[in-house]
Amino acid sequence: MRDELNRNQVTDTQTTCDNLRDAAYHEAGHVVVARFLGLTIGKIEIEEDGSGRADISSAEHLPLIDQIALCVAGIEAQELFNCPMHEHAALGDYVKVSRLVAGLTEAESYEHRQAGYSRALEILKNQLPEIDRLADQLIKQRRIEATLKNGELRGQTGLNSKSVVFGRQPIPPAFELEEQ
């Protein structure tokens, strides 16, 4: 009986660690793509059950492909970092994509979705160390508050506006990430 309880405790601990890792990379993917696209980031948080959220400013002004890229960035980051998704993970992201392509023909919808996935993957592949550092910080802290600070990024994420350029544009106004 005691051995069975110990095995269950180890399994629960491993599941929690896996859930945190999966959620951290998922949210880090959204955040890195959002920052590349010039969006503002607020609170980022993950939970032991594998859920998470990143408060990101509206992307409605962006081209459709960039909006889709933002939605699928978490999914793509999980793939890049070998983080399996649980059954309902990313359901909200898929719903957002469905709403974005509503009204398009089936062929147009497919073309835009594929382009969005490719766009997200292109951005993420160029920012692997930054995704890793942000995910690691999320796993340790579970919650990060991002605030504007003197036009440069400060904090412990390793995302530094003085040394990192996201593709064709510099990092948007920077944040100070504070532990909560």
Side-chain angles (χ1 to χ4, degrees):
M1 182 67 146
R2 179 186 249 169
D3 287 341
E4 185 177 329
L5 288 174
N6 286 339
R7 271 195 302 274
N8 287 340
Q9 185 177 10
V10 168
T11 302
D12 290 344
T13 301
Q14 184 59 46
T15 299
T16 297
C17 290
D18 290 345
N19 287 344
L20 288 170
R21 183 177 186 275
D22 298 348
Y25 279 96
H26 185 96
E27 297 309 325
H30 286 301
V31 168
V32 167
V33 169
R35 294 200 54 223
F36 176 88
L37 297 172
L39 302 175
T40 302
I41 312 302
K43 176 176 54 179
I44 312 161
E45 60 187 333
I46 60 171
E47 302 291 337
E48 289 182 358
D49 66 0
S51 63
R53 65 176 285 121
D55 293 335
I56 298 171
S57 64
S58 175
E60 290 178 358
H61 65 284
L62 297 174
L64 179 58
I65 290 169
D66 285 347
Q67 290 181 55
I68 293 169
L70 178 60
C71 290
V72 301
I75 299 163
E76 289 298 310
Q78 284 187 259
E79 286 287 322
L80 280 172
F81 288 91
N82 196 28
C83 299
M85 287 185 277
H86 57 77
E87 185 178 344
H88 300 290
L91 184 58
D93 297 334
Y94 290 126
V95 169
K96 288 176 188 173
V97 171
S98 294
R99 288 181 182 146
L100 288 171
V101 298
L104 299 179
T105 67
E106 192 171 321
E108 291 170 332
S109 171
Y110 178 79
E111 183 180 318
H112 281 82
R113 285 182 286 122
Q114 290 305 115
Y117 274 96
S118 294
R119 178 84 163 123
L121 193 56
E122 171 193 353
I123 294 166
L124 293 169
K125 281 184 174 179
N126 288 316
Q127 304 303 325
L128 296 176
E130 287 75 18
I131 298 165
D132 233 354
R133 285 190 287 266
L134 180 55
D136 186 55
Q137 184 179 359
L138 278 168
I139 291 166
K140 290 175 184 168
Q141 294 176 218
R142 311 280 169 81
R143 178 178 172 159
I144 300 170
E145 286 287 338
T147 56
L148 294 174
K149 187 69 173 187
N150 299 329
E152 68 181 57
L153 183 65
R154 299 180 183 197
Q156 301 172 5
T157 63
L159 297 173
N160 184 327
S161 65
K162 291 183 178 176
S163 62
V164 178
V165 175
F166 287 94
R168 67 181 189 278
Q169 64 190 51
I171 289 179
F175 311 95
E176 181 171 298
L177 301 176
E178 302 168 351
E179 294 183 30
Q180 294 296 311

